[in-house]
Amino acid sequence: MTIRCLLFLGFAIVLSACSIYPKTPEAQASYHAKQAASAIAKDLCINAVAHVDSAMSRATGEEKIGELMNSNAALLACYLDHLETASRQITNPAHANTTHERIIKAASAGFLPAAQAHALHEQLNITVAEGNRSRAIAFDLGDDLGYFPALQQPEHQTLMMRQTIRNLQNPEYQPRSVSQLIAYAGQQPIGSETRQYIENQLPNLNIRRDEIAAVSPLFPDFAAKRLREITAEVHLLLVQGDRLLEDDLIQLMQENIRGIAWRSAPEPGVITLEIERVRHDEQRAPEALQSVYYSEEPLFLSSAFHSRHQNVIYMHEVRAGKFEIEYGYVVRARLNDQIIHDKVLRGTVKNDYTNCQSVQIHHLFGTAMPAHSGFSYAGHAQCRGNEPSGFEPLREEILTLLVDEVLSIPEIKRVHALN
C-alpha cells in the first residue's frame, strides 16, 4: 500500500473517532498507540501501521510506540515487514523521503535495530537508484537528495538534469527547479558538452521573469533576450480622464497584469494604450421610505416576544435607494502605427440597497413603543437587501472591467502568460 493510501486511511481513522479524539499531542500519541494495539489484535496490519505512524509523528509518540513494540511481537513483525516492503516499492521522490524518515523514527524509537535500519536504507537506495535509472521514480535536481548517496553519482546527476529539463518544458509542472539546473550547469566546465546542452535547451523551458536573475550570471545573453521576449513596453494615453483615474488604472494593471514595462512616451516597438472616457455619469436616486404594518404576528418576531404584547400591530420602515454609474469607454491599442485592438465598453453598474429601521409596536388603544428586541431583520425578505456602498466600489468595478479588457490585447495577453 502506498504512503498516500496510508495517510488517507489515517485521516479516516481520526474522522471516525473525532468525538473522542484527544486535544493534546501527548494524549493523541497515547490514543494512536492504543488503536494500533487494538488493530493488530484484530489482525488489521495496515490499520495498525497507520496508527503507529500517527503516534510517532506526535510528542512522546516514539517513546510510547517503543514500549508497545517491546511487548507486542505481532505489531513489531507487522510494522517491520511493512517497512521492508515499502523500501522496495517506492512510487515517487516524496514517497522515498517519507519512507526514509519512517526508518529513522523506528530506529530512534528503539524497536528497529541499527543493523536492520542500515539494511533498509541500503535497500531503499538500491530501489531509488533503479527507479531513477528507469524513470519509474523520476527525480529532478530540485528534489531532496540528501538521504540517497546513490543519486550523487554522475550517472544519476545527468539523468536528473535531463528530467529537470523535461519538467521545465511543461508550463504546468511545479515546483520549478530552474535555480538548481543553473547551479548544476555552473559545475560543468565552460565549453563542455553538458553545459552547452543546457544552454541550448533554455529557450524551451518557459523561463519566467522571477527566474531571470538565476539564469543571468551564467547565460547573460539568453537572459537579456528572454527578458525582452516576456516584456511588453506600454505607453498609456488617457483621453477625457484625470490624473486620479490614470494613477488608479496603472496601479490596478501593475497588480493584475504581469510583464508590462511602462514608458513615458510613444516610441517604435512601444504599445500605445489609449483609454478614452466617453461617458461617466454618477447618479444617486433619492431614498424612498415605506412604512410596513402587520396586523398579525409576523414570522420574524419570536413567539416569546409576541406573547408579552396582545392587541397590537407591528410596524417597521423600509429605506431603499440606489447608487448608479452609467459608463462608456473606448480601449484602443496601437503598435508601430497599426491598430491591434479597438473595443467599446459601455454599460451601467449600480448598487440597489434596502434596510429596515424604526421597528415599533402599535397598541390598538393608540399608544406606540419601540421594539428593542425580538425583531430579526434577516428573517424578512424586505430587510435582506444590500447596504449602501457609495460610488467608490462602483468606480472600482469599472476599473476592473477596463483592466480585463486591456489584458485581452493579444501582445499584452501573451507576455502576461509568459510571466
Side-chain angles (χ1 to χ4, degrees):
M1 178 175 287
T2 67
I3 192 65
R4 179 181 295 178
C5 293
L6 284 173
L7 291 174
F8 179 80
L9 178 59
F11 181 66
I13 290 169
V14 170
L15 287 180
S16 68
C18 60
S19 60
I20 59 171
Y21 195 65
K23 302 296 184 183
T24 67
E26 293 83 357
Q28 291 168 3
S30 297
Y31 169 85
H32 285 293
K34 291 178 181 177
Q35 292 297 315
S38 176
I40 201 64
K42 300 173 184 176
D43 201 24
L44 301 175
C45 180
I46 296 301
N47 284 38
V49 167
H51 281 295
V52 168
D53 287 336
S54 294
M56 290 200 296
S57 69
R58 290 161 171 80
T60 72
E62 290 184 14
E63 178 183 353
K64 290 181 171 64
I65 291 298
E67 294 172 355
L68 178 61
M69 291 294 189
N70 289 332
S71 61
N72 195 318
L75 181 61
L76 177 62
C78 158
Y79 195 83
L80 295 185
D81 182 66
H82 177 81
L83 281 185
E84 171 69 25
T85 301
S87 69
R88 297 175 182 274
Q89 297 180 357
I90 300 301
T91 57
N92 56 61
H95 185 194
N97 282 296
T98 301
T99 301
H100 168 84
E101 291 166 359
R102 295 170 73 211
I103 294 170
I104 292 293
K105 285 184 177 181
S108 176
F111 63 84
L112 179 62
Q116 194 169 355
H118 178 75
L120 287 174
H121 278 131
E122 289 293 313
Q123 178 57 57
L124 184 58
N125 265 277
I126 292 171
T127 302
V128 162
E130 290 176 350
N132 188 56
R133 191 176 289 114
S134 67
R135 292 178 57 191
I137 311 171
F139 283 87
D140 83 4
L141 294 170
D143 289 318
D144 187 355
L145 309 175
Y147 297 153
F148 311 115
L151 298 185
Q152 306 299 327
Q153 300 301 315
E155 172 201 5
H156 290 286
Q157 292 284 298
T158 298
L159 291 171
M160 287 187 291
M161 176 269 292
R162 293 182 179 275
Q163 182 61 41
T164 302
I165 288 174
R166 281 190 288 268
N167 290 342
L168 291 173
Q169 288 172 342
N170 177 3
E172 305 301 322
Y173 187 85
Q174 295 292 338
R176 291 175 57 81
S177 305
V178 173
S179 59
Q180 291 87 348
L181 177 64
I182 300 304
Y184 176 81
Q187 297 168 5
Q188 313 306 312
I190 296 175
S192 66
E193 183 178 343
T194 298
R195 186 161 173 158
Q196 187 62 50
Y197 172 77
I198 294 172
E199 183 174 12
N200 292 342
Q201 292 297 318
L202 289 176
N204 305 318
L205 303 189
N206 305 289
I207 300 298
R208 302 170 184 174
R209 182 172 299 271
D210 59 354
E211 296 165 345
I212 292 290
V215 176
S216 182
L218 210 62
F219 304 110
D221 292 342
F222 168 80
K225 180 181 178 182
R226 181 61 176 171
L227 190 58
R228 291 192 298 270
E229 290 175 349
I230 62 176
T231 300
E233 296 182 291
V234 179
H235 166 63
L236 177 61
L237 177 62
L238 192 60
V239 181
Q240 302 296 332
D242 54 34
R243 178 61 183 273
L244 291 179
L245 176 60
E246 180 178 355
D247 290 348
D248 290 344
L249 266 174
I250 289 179
Q251 179 180 344
L252 198 59
M253 286 190 283
Q254 287 175 334
E255 293 173 354
N256 293 279
I257 303 178
R258 301 183 295 268
I260 288 183
W262 295 101
R263 297 293 177 255
S264 59
E267 301 173 17
V270 173
I271 297 171
T272 296
L273 174 60
E274 180 182 317
I275 298 179
E276 180 181 0
R277 184 161 67 179
V278 180
R279 176 183 300 135
H280 187 91
D281 296 331
E282 298 184 353
Q283 296 182 359
R284 179 178 184 179
E287 285 189 344
L289 196 62
Q290 178 186 10
S291 296
V292 180
Y293 292 89
Y294 300 87
S295 59
E296 298 180 358
E297 177 189 0
L299 295 176
F300 49 88
L301 283 174
S302 67
S303 58
F305 178 82
H306 178 68
S307 66
R308 301 197 300 270
H309 302 280
Q310 302 297 325
N311 301 316
V312 298
I313 60 174
Y314 306 90
M315 185 275 284
H316 70 272
E317 293 179 340
V318 178
R319 183 166 61 98
K322 178 170 64 176
F323 291 91
E324 180 178 276
I325 302 178
E326 186 179 1
Y327 66 89
Y329 286 80
V330 177
V331 179
R332 185 179 295 113
R334 293 186 178 89
L335 179 59
N336 298 327
D337 296 326
Q338 298 291 321
I339 295 178
I340 60 174
H341 189 83
D342 194 345
K343 182 70 176 290
V344 175
L345 296 181
R346 61 190 300 174
T348 302
V349 291
K350 58 185 177 180
N351 164 234
D352 293 299
Y353 64 88
T354 58
N355 54 43
C356 294
Q357 60 186 23
S358 301
V359 185
Q360 295 181 358
I361 302 170
H362 288 253
H363 289 267
L364 296 182
F365 304 106
T367 60
M369 62 180 290
H372 296 297
S373 63
F375 187 88
S376 172
Y377 287 143
H380 195 276
Q382 289 177 303
C383 302
R384 291 202 295 265
N386 298 320
E387 290 296 318
S389 67
F391 289 111
E392 191 57 34
L394 301 181
R395 297 179 191 129
E396 292 174 0
E397 185 177 344
I398 294 170
L399 288 177
T400 300
L401 293 172
L402 289 171
V403 171
D404 289 343
E405 186 60 34
V406 170
L407 188 51
S408 72
I409 297 172
E411 183 62 17
I412 293 176
K413 182 178 182 179
R414 182 187 69 83
V415 298
H416 176 76
L418 290 175
N419 282 275

